Amino acid sequence: MPKCLAAVALLPFLMLGCAAQVEPEPFPSATPSRVIKVTEMIFPAVVRLDVAQEIYRDGKRTLQRGIGSGVIIDAQGRILTNYHVAGRAAEIFVTLFNKERVRASLIGDDHWTDLAVVQLDMDEIARKNISFSFAQLGTSTGVRTGQDVIAVGTPFGLARTMTLGIVSNNERTLYPDRVRIDEYETAEFDNWIQMDTPINPGNSGGPLVDLTGKVIGINTRGGAQNLNFAVPIDTAKPVVAEIISSSKDGKRGHVARADLGLELRPLQDLESFYAIELNQGVLVDSVAKNSPAAMAGVKTQDILLAINDVPVNVRFPEELAPARKLISELPIGKETRLQLRRGKDTLNVRAVTDKLEGAAGEEREFKKWGMSVREVTRQYASERNLDDDRGVVTTSLNPGFPAARAEIRGGDVVRNINGIEIADLDQFASIYDESIKKQESRVVIGLQNGRSRRTVVLRITFDTGRTDVPTTEPSK
Amino acid sequence: MSMIRICYFSGAIALLFSVIAAIAAEGNPTPAKTLRDRVSPSMYAVQYTWAYEFGRIDFVTCGVVVRDDGLMMIPLSAVGTGLPDSQLVDVKIIVPSKENDEVEIDAIFQGRDERTELAFVKPRESGREWKPITFEEVPIEVGDEVTSIGMLPKDAGYSTYFQRGVIAARLRGEHPAWLVTGGGVGAVGAPVFNADGQAIGVVMGQMPQQPFLHTSNERRNQSIVTLAAVNIPPALFTPTSDFMLSLTDPPTPEKPVALPWIGTPQLTGLEKDVAEAFGLQDQPAIEIGDVIKDSPAERAGLKVGQKIVKLNGKPLERGDNPEELPSIFGRTLRQMPIGTEITLSVLTEKDQPLTEVKVTLEQRPKDQRELRRFWAEDLGFSTRDVSFQDTYSRKQPANMEGVVVALTKREGAAAAARLEMGDIVTTLNGESVKDLDQFEAAYKALRSDKPREPVVVVVLKPDATTQTIKIEPPQ
């Protein structure tokens, strides 16, 4: 099958070559015959995803069902889609272009770029003797504003829907707005392809293709009046590779990035204020508490000129994502040289990069107590102005269960249980497990919220006739 | 007022008067009429103007004369605790009259008393004769009949009216209150009397009652329904004993009420299960959630996690539920003078004997409303000095320098640049900001020297991040 697709992929070029006897046009336009050709090429690689995502609500792990799109990217049956479609998937069913339905599982995900990679159940494919093909990934580097593009996906569950439009902008930034998927940060390291191709809920994760039939982006966000956004394929390629390579023995793959704890700001129209040349440096707008940059002595209002001698110039908002990306690609845990301008002085400092963490840490449910909690990450601690990143934070409560009855509230950080200081989620889980095993009917919990500390007592009843006393979910 | 409202309103008033007339027709003046005639001359409409950055709004509430020089108490809920003192101007006492035109008497705002939820105004000139009401601390019991005289809104000519009910229960809480059923009590501000005609309490602000009789704010005025307090009367009043302190020692502009504190702003009343876990069965107790640096509590050695069990050797006053313990404790402390030494009996560890800790009450840090504001009108934002609350909530050192953005004007240059309320401005065009005086001077100089140049400020956001904000002045 892949071979077959490869053959098809050559067709447009051959055709062009024969007809005009000139160089193939770099941005072929959407003539009826070409649209049909592209359709034939891309269609067999586009899938519908029916996903049950794991979410925590009312103190419990529950499933939230949704529909999205995806594109098969290789002969091994890997599918590229959005994080917000399949990133927290507990179960996935894939509907192929030939309407066959196959199980799939999550290989790994990356909320920072809103991407996830899913694996088709190849045993099932073989058993049922199902055929599929995969798409050819193009490049987004040369994408031009104005070129024709096609989106394929499952808007509102309507599988295999094709829509046509143009690239409205090839370096869209949403700065200074912050984009999040629930609590998960996203879209910080890349600009978007903006297109007017009609997109609706369910299109997410589907491919945006040029008129040569190659994937140039992943349709990710839609706005009103055909203001739509795709993750550029050049952003996706290394993310996919790292997710796949880091996924081992059933462990989900992730992308490791470096972090300095800097909030950067374009210098546009501020150059004269900071007495700096145009197109030189980037303004340090904020430095996170306890971050590598803070420990290296970087201060707000410094102008960052270079990282490891590579100049960083951010005059316009569109240049911000590439600068952040440069930092994210630094080796983790290694010393980094930062050249700064502070007032009239130029100074050099050395910072040891951290691994980038999001604000939302790992989450688990603790059924008997009726609460779900999350790891407190450094980022979360910094955003909430917590003293440190120890303990776990309450995310939701099951009404009528011990935690809710003791008036624990969402946002309360559990600092200690029965006098034992809680460092992290694993420790919380082991104390919980032991408490359930010992059938403790009273548990004293020390909480912190903002500047306030307080003590609550959980009253737990154990019905000896029941055997479904739950323990924690295994960590994933 | 629309025709429909006039009809409805005059009909209701006619009904009211016919009831009173019917009672009066039986012979001698009834106690009700006597009371109304006696009390009405002690009740006035009190108007003040909130002169804020973008405009002026008048508010009118009910005042009761409490001293023969015309000192009047008004409900604190009609002034609010957030309204800056410097923006409260043009206080007037309105003398309602059925026969003549209303008379306005210039008055001076005397101050708020958060100990008792009252505020005070006083006529500017002396020489007028006032008839004060004498509030008395007399025993009150469930089953007692009470009457109260309320005041109707401006639409009804600030008429006083009579309301009668029966004391049904005593509610404990931050402010103890008596519940009155039957006819309930008069509108917010109404004095309450027992069967002997003694003034035993006053109706304080309570949801969903309006403390206002009128306002010039059009949108808000629509919520002042002429007969709202008559149709659904308030049900609670505060006994004299809870506000006597204010009457014997009312605030004056020269001597505002100085509130004490010990520096433990995060207190939690212990729920039964928690109390039991610490061996404090049947003893109301409060857990200390935070101790402010350099506060009386810290100096006395109080620590986070300790449980306060006794105040001056006595068990803590209970509320109707443990959640109310901290506010009741707070009220008790608030009513003590600064400098008082209190003894707290605290549990430091489970099953250990209580430790006695002596703490001396000091003056509470200044509140935001006590701070002057500087209105940068050209760029559309208002600033004030940094208060304790600001540094506390942001976990910044108490002596932090800067000014706080108190207000931004919608569509103004500052708002367009995303300067927001609560931002702390730490630098102005590269120069550190110390306090409001310094900021005001630097800002004015900057704006007159370079009126067309952008203003660059660095702010500390409530989430502790910093942000550079460039404000483009209107060209």
Side-chain angles (χ1 to χ4, degrees):
Chain A
M1 280 312 281
K3 272 181 197 161
C4 197
L5 184 74
V8 174
L10 286 173
L11 264 176
F13 296 102
L14 292 174
M15 275 178 51
L16 250 167
C18 299
Q21 296 286 321
V22 287
E23 288 283 298
E25 205 203 321
F27 304 104
S29 59
T31 59
S33 61
R34 187 172 293 276
V35 171
I36 287 167
K37 284 278 183 262
V38 172
T39 309
E40 285 169 356
M41 286 170 66
I42 193 69
F43 241 52
V46 182
V47 299
R48 162 183 166 142
L49 298 171
D50 286 84
V51 183
Q53 290 205 81
E54 204 171 65
I55 60 156
Y56 292 82
R57 189 188 288 153
D58 293 340
K60 291 175 289 193
R61 171 185 171 271
T62 54
L63 295 179
Q64 179 173 281
R65 295 184 187 276
I67 298 168
S69 309
V71 55
I72 305 175
I73 51 170
D74 61 23
Q76 287 80 48
R78 293 188 184 111
I79 297 168
L80 176 56
T81 182
N82 279 138
Y83 172 83
H84 77 261
V85 169
R88 286 166 283 168
E91 52 185 67
I92 307 170
F93 283 99
V94 173
T95 309
L96 299 168
F97 83 110
N98 53 17
K99 307 181 188 76
E100 293 286 354
R101 214 165 129 92
V102 184
R103 274 173 200 285
S105 57
L106 181 62
I107 298 175
D109 54 58
D110 181 47
H111 63 81
W112 297 96
T113 50
D114 200 351
L115 294 171
V117 184
V118 167
Q119 173 67 60
L120 277 176
D121 184 338
M122 296 305 276
D123 294 341
E124 192 177 344
I125 296 269
R127 206 166 57 242
K128 292 184 177 170
N129 197 22
I130 298 169
S131 61
F132 66 90
S133 55
F134 61 89
Q136 209 180 338
L137 305 186
T139 173
S140 47
T141 307
V143 167
R144 290 275 276 274
T145 300
Q147 80 174 75
D148 289 328
V149 281
I150 287 173
V152 196
T154 314
F156 294 112
L158 305 171
R160 301 175 302 284
T161 296
M162 190 128 200
T163 51
L164 178 65
I166 60 168
V167 171
S168 308
N169 190 292
N170 61 3
E171 54 161 1
R172 175 62 63 218
T173 173
L174 301 180
Y175 178 87
D177 291 326
R178 286 289 171 88
V179 191
R180 289 206 169 194
I181 306 159
D182 296 337
E183 305 88 345
Y184 297 91
E185 304 86 346
T186 194
E188 292 196 3
F189 302 112
D190 292 280
N191 292 330
W192 306 85
I193 297 172
Q194 184 191 330
M195 66 280 181
D196 70 352
T197 323
I199 296 277
N200 286 289
N203 265 108
S204 283
L208 183 73
V209 295
D210 64 13
L211 270 292
T212 68
K214 287 183 185 156
V215 179
I216 58 163
I218 298 298
N219 303 316
T220 299
R221 290 188 169 253
Q225 306 295 334
N226 296 334
L227 300 172
N228 301 310
F229 306 97
V231 175
I233 201 68
D234 289 358
T235 298
K237 282 178 184 170
V239 168
V240 170
E242 192 168 342
I243 285 175
I244 292 171
S245 67
S246 64
S247 151
K248 276 193 199 94
D249 311 323
K251 221 177 127 258
R252 284 183 188 170
H254 289 292
V255 179
R257 292 186 178 84
D259 186 23
L260 289 171
L262 292 175
E263 203 63 66
L264 304 177
R265 185 192 155 106
L267 276 165
Q268 186 172 25
D269 301 337
L270 288 168
E271 292 92 348
S272 63
F273 180 78
Y274 291 103
I276 199 148
E277 308 258 313
L278 286 188
N279 298 318
Q280 199 190 350
V282 56
L283 179 62
V284 174
D285 210 12
S286 193
V287 183
K289 203 164 75 176
N290 303 329
S291 67
M295 287 189 277
V298 181
K299 294 203 165 81
T300 175
Q301 300 297 295
D302 285 348
I303 309 281
L304 175 61
L305 298 170
I307 300 174
N308 289 342
D309 304 324
V310 180
V312 196
N313 301 325
V314 180
R315 187 173 172 218
F316 304 114
E318 287 79 3
E319 293 170 312
L320 203 52
R324 288 185 185 141
K325 190 170 182 176
L326 182 72
I327 293 172
S328 78
E329 287 169 352
L330 293 169
I332 298 163
K334 290 270 158 55
E335 199 170 81
T336 303
R337 295 186 306 283
L338 306 176
Q339 193 184 33
L340 304 165
R341 172 76 58 85
R342 184 176 297 163
K344 290 193 176 80
D345 305 328
T346 302
L347 48 154
N348 291 286
V349 300
R350 287 162 191 269
V352 180
T353 55
D354 255 357
K355 187 171 181 222
L356 176 72
E357 269 187 318
E362 189 192 338
E363 192 168 13
R364 282 187 229 167
E365 65 172 353
F366 297 90
K367 268 191 186 156
K368 194 75 188 169
W369 291 356
M371 65 197 294
S372 62
V373 304
R374 238 186 213 152
E375 191 85 75
V376 174
T377 64
R378 184 171 65 76
Q379 183 62 28
Y380 182 85
S382 165
E383 278 178 18
R384 298 299 170 109
N385 207 356
L386 303 179
D387 298 333
D388 52 42
D389 57 5
R390 295 177 69 80
V392 296
V393 60
T394 311
T395 50
S396 71
L397 296 142
N398 196 349
F401 276 65
R405 281 196 169 162
E407 296 187 11
I408 295 182
R409 289 177 277 265
D412 282 346
V413 176
V414 176
R415 299 292 306 213
N416 55 67
I417 301 176
N418 291 336
I420 302 166
E421 290 294 317
I422 300 296
D424 55 24
L425 187 57
D426 285 338
Q427 193 182 358
F428 182 95
S430 73
I431 289 177
Y432 170 84
D433 286 341
E434 195 162 317
S435 176
I436 298 296
K437 210 167 89 189
K438 287 196 296 199
Q439 303 219 338
E440 280 181 336
S441 60
R442 293 279 193 286
V443 177
V444 182
I445 296 189
L447 300 168
Q448 182 164 27
N449 200 331
R451 298 200 76 144
S452 172
R453 286 188 183 240
R454 65 184 209 278
T455 311
V456 297
V457 172
L458 304 187
R459 279 172 78 151
I460 305 125
T461 48
F462 289 90
D463 180 352
T464 46
R466 287 176 59 175
T467 54
D468 63 342
V469 173
T471 55
T472 49
E473 291 292 307
S475 59
K476 292 175 193 78
Chain B
M1 190 192 266
S2 72
M3 283 308 287
I4 297 169
R5 276 182 70 195
I6 290 170
C7 295
Y8 162 69
F9 167 63
S10 52
I13 284 293
L15 187 74
L16 195 73
F17 282 113
S18 64
V19 171
I20 294 166
I23 297 167
E26 283 175 22
N28 289 333
T30 62
K33 181 169 182 340
T34 312
L35 187 70
R36 200 182 77 114
D37 290 349
R38 172 162 72 86
V39 173
S40 295
S42 304
M43 295 179 67
Y44 293 86
V46 174
Q47 175 178 306
Y48 70 86
T49 301
W50 177 30
Y52 68 117
E53 284 82 346
F54 320 142
R56 295 166 67 90
I57 301 175
D58 298 335
F59 290 98
V60 181
T61 187
C62 169
V64 175
V65 181
V66 292
R67 217 165 54 190
D68 51 16
D69 62 353
L71 182 74
M72 257 171 233
M73 68 178 198
I74 60 174
L76 184 64
S77 56
V79 188
T81 48
L83 198 153
D85 292 348
S86 56
Q87 297 185 350
L88 199 158
V89 301
D90 290 352
V91 183
K92 301 220 186 306
I93 294 165
I94 300 170
V95 186
S97 171
K98 290 275 169 238
E99 293 78 29
N100 306 311
D101 289 346
E102 282 175 5
V103 177
E104 280 185 1
I105 301 170
D106 277 347
I108 301 167
F109 184 67
Q110 298 293 296
R112 301 168 169 84
D113 194 346
E114 287 171 54
R115 301 172 301 179
T116 57
E117 303 287 299
L118 289 172
F120 292 83
V121 300
K122 204 179 108 176
R124 197 177 284 276
E125 311 266 319
S126 56
R128 197 183 170 93
E129 195 187 331
W130 300 93
K131 292 184 178 163
I133 292 181
T134 307
F135 285 90
E136 296 176 65
E137 291 183 71
V138 292
I140 301 172
E141 280 182 34
V142 170
D144 286 356
E145 280 210 1
V146 289
T147 53
S148 55
I149 307 295
M151 184 173 269
L152 294 172
K154 185 184 184 188
D155 285 354
Y158 301 124
S159 300
T160 50
Y161 70 102
F162 175 89
Q163 195 98 29
R164 177 156 38 201
V166 176
I167 294 197
R170 177 171 177 254
L171 302 183
R172 303 181 296 187
E174 181 177 357
H175 289 279
W178 290 97
L179 176 71
V180 179
T181 54
V185 286
V188 175
V192 180
F193 302 85
N194 63 10
D196 299 332
Q198 293 168 296
I200 57 168
V202 70
V203 180
M204 299 281 193
Q206 54 195 274
M207 293 298 286
Q209 303 290 338
Q210 273 281 1
F212 301 116
L213 303 174
H214 175 68
T215 165
S216 63
N217 180 345
E218 268 186 26
R219 230 202 261 145
R220 219 151 158 189
N221 202 25
Q222 286 165 1
S223 64
I224 300 174
V225 178
T226 311
L227 291 185
V230 179
N231 292 333
I232 304 171
L236 300 171
F237 77 91
T238 303
T240 304
S241 55
D242 198 49
F243 61 88
M244 200 54 174
L245 185 65
S246 273
L247 301 183
T248 51
D249 178 27
T252 62
E254 300 74 38
K255 190 172 154 283
V257 172
L259 293 178
W261 86 326
I262 60 170
T264 54
Q266 310 282 353
L267 299 174
T268 309
L270 258 55
E271 296 287 335
K272 185 168 167 281
D273 292 334
V274 185
E276 277 175 16
F278 288 95
L280 292 169
Q281 289 89 334
D282 292 321
Q283 299 179 72
I286 293 172
E287 180 170 355
I288 299 174
D290 192 21
V291 176
I292 304 286
K293 205 164 172 284
D294 294 330
S295 67
E298 193 199 48
R299 280 194 286 277
L302 288 175
K303 300 265 181 326
V304 171
Q306 291 179 339
K307 316 309 182 265
I308 301 170
V309 186
K310 286 180 182 168
L311 169 60
N312 289 339
K314 288 191 204 126
L316 299 182
E317 184 184 331
R318 280 183 190 272
D320 289 324
N321 66 61
E323 269 176 39
E324 291 176 340
L325 282 166
S327 54
I328 294 170
F329 179 73
R331 182 242 301 161
T332 312
L333 293 194
R334 265 204 305 281
Q335 300 193 342
M336 295 178 180
I338 289 161
T340 308
E341 187 186 75
I342 57 167
T343 305
L344 299 175
S345 307
V346 299
L347 181 79
T348 51
E349 254 172 89
K350 186 178 175 346
D351 301 329
Q352 291 295 308
L354 299 181
T355 312
E356 295 212 330
V357 179
K358 290 192 187 305
V359 192
T360 306
L361 304 184
E362 289 177 14
Q363 181 158 359
R364 188 180 77 168
K366 268 196 177 167
D367 190 81
Q368 294 170 7
R369 68 166 167 78
E370 297 172 79
L371 304 170
R372 185 178 71 85
R373 290 188 181 187
F374 165 59
W375 171 220
E377 189 171 4
D378 49 351
L379 300 185
F381 70 104
S382 193
T383 47
R384 58 166 169 77
D385 271 320
V386 178
S387 73
F388 164 75
Q389 247 332 308
D390 301 313
T391 55
Y392 180 70
S393 62
R394 289 173 179 78
K395 296 192 177 175
Q396 295 294 322
N399 59 359
M400 183 192 179
E401 294 188 338
V403 293
V404 181
V405 177
L407 208 61
T408 60
K409 187 179 178 181
R410 268 177 74 179
E411 314 298 336
R418 296 197 180 203
L419 188 71
E420 291 171 333
M421 237 175 98
D423 288 351
I424 300 184
V425 180
T426 56
T427 71
L428 171 67
N429 270 25
E431 300 294 327
S432 297
V433 173
K434 283 175 69 71
D435 54 22
L436 191 71
D437 291 340
Q438 183 267 337
F439 176 80
E440 182 175 353
Y443 179 88
K444 283 176 174 164
L446 184 70
R447 296 293 296 132
S448 67
D449 291 353
K450 302 174 181 169
R452 295 175 75 88
E453 294 287 303
V455 172
V456 180
V457 294
V458 177
V459 300
L460 181 76
K461 290 276 175 190
D463 67 357
T465 60
T466 54
Q467 220 173 75
T468 313
I469 293 178
K470 186 185 59 160
I471 308 171
E472 293 281 2
Q475 298 292 319

